[in-house]
Amino acid sequence: MKYPRHAGVWKMLTASVCVALLACLHAQELRGHISVILLGATGDLARKYLWQGLFQLYLDEAGKGHSFRFHGAALTTTEQGQEVIAKVLESLSCPRDTAPARCAELKDQFQQLSEYRRLKTAEDYLALSKDIEAWVQREGLREAGRVFYFSVPPFAYADIARNINSSCRPGPGAWLRVALEKPFGHDHRSAQQLATELGSFFQEDEMYRVDHYLGKQVVAQILPFRDQNREALDGLWSRHHVDRVEIIMKETVDAGGRTSFYEEYGVIRDVLQNHLTEILTLVAMELPRNVSSSEAVLQHKLQAFRALRGLQKGSAVLGQYQAYSEQVRRELQKPDGFHSLTPTFAGVLVHIDNLRWEGVPFILMSGKALDERVSYVRILFKNQACCVQSEKHWVPDQSRCLPQQIVFYIGHGELGSPAVLVSRNLFRPSLPSASWQEVAGRPGLHLFGRPLSDYYAYSPVREQDAYSILISHIFHHRKDSFITTENLLASWVFWTPLLDSLAHEVPRLYPGGAENGRLLDFEFSGNSLAFSQQPLEQLVPGPGSGPTPSDFQVLRAKYRESPLISAWPEELIAKLADDIEATAVQAVRRFGKFHLALSGGSSPIALFQQLATGHYGFPWAHTHLWLADERCVPLWDPESNFQGLQAHLLQHVRVPYYNIHPMPVHLRQRLCAEEDRGAQVYAEEISALVANSSFDLVLLGMGTDGHTASLFPQSPTGLDGEQLVVLTKSPFRPYQRMSLSLPLINRARKVAVLVMGRMKREIAVLVSRVGHEPRKWPISGVLPDSGQLVWYMDYEAFLG
């Protein structure tokens, strides 16, 4: 079909298309130019690692259609900065297979493209931006993007970010990438504040929080290894087969020269909260279908964070090498009597509450001034085989009695290089042959109790520095090797409560190096860690002269005319747990069942854990668990008292589900609506199952305002009358509550009131002096009609 009338139009269209194609071809000829700005370019990290990493980026990418310029920046004067940078650039090294003449040529090219400039004010950043634009235009290039690497203290981040955002962003069509070095905050609050500040200047996609451990070759291989060996690991990677996981980083050096940093952060913030936690998520997370998808990997890591069980004070052991306090006194000009509480060693026990890992201990450990420098991840498998022949007849790659383990050997130690080790009696692993090779045998070398020949062992064909790898990933926009804001805050949510609880803990002193002996060995039981042996002597005097737990025995006295038991917290909780078990055993022996009503809040958590882990004779099968009070939130809400009971007790003991009685605060998709009659329903259930509605034991607490259960001074409901269960109003969120009434509490055969902490000292003194005035202080109305009231009060609450 022809259209002769429109021939001119077709010619014009054809010409336009040709012009457009030529323009596209011309645009492709314009190479993409990348500017890399290294902030803190004269600092220690930059001199040791970052300039070398940038040089490696240039070697890898310069011949692939991109051009580069490298701008070293700091607050140092131009003359001093240029001198430092010149020395650093001269010391750069090429890959081993590069000929000396070629290496010299490449270094010269890199030096020609590198400069130093002082960056301090907004005007300095604007001048840099104009220089980049002028260079791009003069060289006939197009700007592809800019990388800013923040090798500076976090307190400088906000000002630098503001200047970049206002004066030094690239133009339309070019990207901005900002690399940020740790520490990313000191706790959850400071991390949130820093994240909010940075988020006001940069988009999430523009930020790359660097954890250099994620650039280490073996750590980067964990997910690909799991992916490439799915068939073999699918049946092994779970609680059914894994005995425990150890994530270890040991150092021989001390904190000398860095005590200013260490005094602020300590070993948990320096190593465990970031490096070791990131490795934990790589081991524990569910494997996405596509491990190459950064988004999928980051989302699965976040799910692993959400499954972490909360840490308690007993989850950790702390140590400090003997010379540390003296180093602090010398470097920070502290007085002669100063003794630091900063830990330089920590072991932490972590549990993951999901179907895959329930009950499997994850041990995170790091320390300075230890006997060796090594880091590794060790997955130790359960071994239920029993071999009849003696060990000398065992065949290493067949015997099921040999230890079965997978080790991601990150570096150093006896092996001296990164490696992946798999016991020969497990399976032959698959690793990418182009980048990993089997390790040659080394007679006499033993790792984790077995000769190297007992393992399939693989090491990288070419060892690469972690920073070089991460800088390459920033260039290629690979986000899975970096810490997102969401994952960062999830990590701090997990670690901050433990750090707060350990703030005043005195760490165990150790001499350092080989002299440590077994002093730092620790053992785990249930949710707790403890050192294996008590030190024979105190190596140096500890801080303060206050009493220690060994200075007191459990104190027995009277309080409000009722028995009082007082002790240090650990001893008090142990005594209360013993008393509850004795009451339970007696009730079951007499009546066949034990009815226990428990209050919520933070004080009973340690008790729940003690009952869960240390009382194997407790008659759980015959115990009915009731709640003394509940917040009007869904039962799965973190603020729910039932959720706390579930997390810290119920999931660890075998109580028949029909013996568990949560308060019905959530009926018909409504919370504590009076017309749903939840309080009456619970009262009817108590009347039907509990003889005479008399609990065998009710555990209560005491608030700083004198409230108990959810009976408050401002809400007189439930202090008298016939109702067994009532709806009340709290002065604190969530305001709506459900509670056992005071008359029902006083029907109990025994009532125990647990009072802990220095903040309870004032109300404890006040309540000791008042009479029966439940409308002012509801706790004063607790006095069982025919049962017994016992107060359990720690020394801080009782003595101040």
Side-chain angles (χ1 to χ4, degrees), residues 312 573 599-609 631 639 641 644 648 701-702 754 756-757 759-760:
Q312 304 299 322
I573 291 297
S599 282
S602 58
S603 294
I605 289 176
L607 172 68
F608 297 162
Q609 293 172 339
R631 297 162 178 178
E639 290 193 327
N641 290 340
H648 300 290
M702 179 171 68
L754 177 62
M756 298 179 68
M759 62 185 298
K760 301 291 179 68

Side-chain angles (χ1 to χ4, degrees), residues 55 61 207 214 259 298 351 428 472 652 793 795:
F55 182 45
E61 303 295 340
M207 290 187 285
L214 292 180
T259 57
L298 293 170
H351 282 95
R428 175 181 280 276
S472 174
H652 307 295
M793 200 174 298
Y795 286 135

